[in-house]
Amino acid sequence: MIHHRDLNLIQRRSLQAVIDGDAPSRLEISHILGVSPQTMTRTIKGLVENGILDEQPDANGQRGQPSRRLAFRAGSLVVIGLALSTYRLIVTVEDLAGSRLMKDEEEGDFREPGPALELASRKIARALSAFGGRERVVGIGIAAQGFLIERGHVVVSIGNPVAWSAIDLKEYFEAQFGLPVNLQNDAKAIAVGTIREGFARRYSSYACIYLTNGIGGALVHNGQLYEGMAANAGEVGFFVPPTKFRPTVPNFLEAARLTRLDDWTDDMSMDRQVVSWCVGAGAQLSPAVQMAIHLYDVPAVLVCSQLPRVVLQAICDAILVVPIGNNVLGDHDSRKLLKQPVVVPINDTSLNKGACALATDYFLRCSSKDVLPA
């Protein structure tokens, strides 16, 4: 028996409440989920007995039976993330609380699906063996560069679109490893990562733009990823023209006269050419950000990238946006009556962490009947 496969939805939501909270008690979780204390006691019992949660008395100095605080046992349940792009393949292992346990990265030419999937399978098999197999690993998240033509199953990579379109990635990896697979493209994986990191508690809805070799986009609505017809909702990068100021990593490297992002160090300052590029990049991105605000009516747009922090901040500072209705009210009345949208640079996100977040999110929000049988 694999205990975590049999967890019902209340148990999984309780587990998420523990991971997201600050050592909550059973009573606090029962209030969060709207269930009785008796139901919560039964719910937590199995999680504690199977070593997924730890429960310790809360020595608060009060008389009588002290409350008991719950904490996720580090490393008790883990996920595997696969980040798959044209020239880089990364397999990461994290526990459900987001602590990284392993990262295996390889650069190469992964435009053809055959060699890419063979390498990915070998790396996942090694990770699975190293971390307790299906007893501890609860799922696989795949963040793939490209766009989806079948929600959760088929992603088209620009490397070889026809070849990739013939492969059901979810079916491919589930058949090999007997684990549930959650597949999204890279921008959607980054957005799910921002949800797991708590941005959805600050902004219940927002657009997320991902700057990498290209420009991806995603939409978060009421704390959940909004996917659309084929899971491509929010892809506003199409509307950013392909000039030298298009805010992508290759264009930045050319402007900064660098070979790799790792060549940039924190003590480096931006010269006139880089500053000019950042201003131009912000201007190029402004219409796409404005479109996201007007189409989705969101209060914030997160701009996520591995670009240097100072560079990403400069790009965001150069983005010009106005609230819906500004054209009717004019600038003066708009500032008084309307809430101004914000653009938030997010520099500490990563595609491999987003891949793990996909697997974690899927496990915590699905009941046992929704996942693969043991």
Side-chain angles (χ1 to χ4, degrees):
M1 172 184 168
I2 302 177
H3 174 71
H4 64 75
R5 291 290 183 91
D6 295 323
L7 298 183
N8 59 39
L9 187 56
I10 294 180
Q11 288 175 309
R12 295 180 190 226
R13 290 181 63 196
S14 300
L15 182 55
Q16 181 165 12
V18 172
I19 292 171
D20 292 344
D22 184 16
S25 67
R26 297 186 186 191
L27 183 60
E28 288 168 345
I29 298 177
S30 71
H31 291 325
I32 292 172
L33 301 187
V35 300
S36 70
Q38 294 79 10
T39 297
M40 187 50 55
T41 296
R42 293 193 299 269
T43 297
I44 296 298
K45 181 180 179 182
L47 297 174
V48 173
E49 289 178 347
N50 284 276
I52 299 172
L53 295 181
D54 289 323
E55 194 170 30
Q56 299 292 334
D58 181 14
N60 55 14
Q62 296 179 0
R63 301 177 65 180
Q65 182 68 31
S67 63
R68 302 178 71 85
R69 317 303 296 185
L70 295 161
F72 175 73
R73 181 175 293 184
S76 58
L77 295 179
V78 303
V79 294
I80 295 175
L82 168 63
L84 186 59
S85 60
T86 305
Y87 298 108
R88 181 172 294 178
L89 189 152
I90 309 172
V91 170
T92 311
V93 178
E94 293 184 359
D95 69 15
L96 293 189
S99 296
R100 179 177 294 174
L101 306 176
M102 187 208 80
K103 180 181 178 183
D104 184 2
E105 180 175 354
E106 188 160 333
E107 294 185 355
D109 187 342
F110 303 118
R111 288 175 292 182
E112 296 296 330
L117 295 181
E118 289 177 10
L119 178 62
S121 295
R122 291 198 300 271
K123 289 182 179 294
I124 290 174
R126 287 199 294 267
L128 193 61
S129 176
F131 289 92
R134 291 167 58 190
E135 293 291 333
R136 288 176 62 197
V137 180
V138 302
I140 300 171
I142 302 177
Q145 184 179 18
F147 63 94
L148 286 113
I149 58 174
E150 183 181 346
R151 178 200 299 264
H153 289 266
V154 181
V155 66
V156 174
S157 169
I158 61 174
N160 189 333
V162 175
W164 283 99
S165 68
I167 299 171
D168 186 323
L169 289 174
K170 179 178 175 68
E171 184 179 272
Y172 178 88
F173 286 105
E174 285 185 344
Q176 283 194 69
F177 300 109
L179 290 166
V181 170
N182 190 8
L183 167 72
Q184 294 284 357
N185 77 351
D186 48 4
K188 305 303 179 295
I190 291 294
V192 172
T194 65
I195 296 170
R196 295 291 305 156
E197 290 164 14
F199 285 95
R201 291 193 290 272
R202 190 184 312 173
Y203 311 104
S204 64
S205 299
Y206 55 88
C208 185
I209 296 178
Y210 180 45
L211 309 181
T212 178
N213 290 343
I215 300 176
L219 178 65
V220 174
H221 178 65
N222 287 339
Q224 297 292 327
L225 179 68
Y226 176 76
E227 297 181 84
M229 179 182 68
N232 294 305
E235 294 288 353
V236 296
F238 174 82
F239 301 100
V240 183
T243 71
K244 67 178 182 179
F245 292 108
R246 183 177 168 88
T248 64
V249 171
N251 284 347
F252 161 71
L253 294 176
E254 182 177 349
R257 300 175 294 279
L258 299 175
T259 303
R260 305 178 308 151
L261 284 178
D262 291 342
D263 295 335
W264 182 280
T265 58
D266 290 339
D267 59 350
M268 294 176 65
S269 60
M270 297 193 300
D271 60 22
R272 181 178 300 178
Q273 182 169 322
V274 173
V275 170
S276 176
W277 182 84
C278 290
V279 172
Q284 293 274 278
L285 196 56
S286 292
V289 173
Q290 190 70 70
M291 182 177 296
I293 290 170
H294 276 254
L295 286 177
Y296 306 133
D297 194 16
V298 291
V301 175
L302 310 189
V303 181
C304 308
S305 182
Q306 289 296 298
L307 287 168
R309 187 179 303 276
V310 64
V311 172
L312 185 61
Q313 182 66 62
I315 293 173
C316 290
D317 289 344
I319 293 174
L320 299 177
V321 292
V322 295
I324 298 171
N326 185 83
N327 58 320
V328 175
L329 295 173
D331 289 338
H332 177 72
D333 290 335
S334 173
R335 284 191 293 271
K336 291 193 303 181
L337 298 175
L338 302 178
K339 184 175 182 180
Q340 303 297 312
V342 296
V343 178
V344 184
I346 307 295
N347 185 248
D348 56 355
T349 189
S350 64
L351 188 57
N352 48 293
K353 194 167 186 64
C356 288
L358 290 175
T360 299
D361 179 70
Y362 184 78
F363 175 75
L364 292 176
R365 66 181 170 82
C366 294
S367 65
S368 57
K369 65 180 181 180
D370 297 321
V371 301
L372 293 177

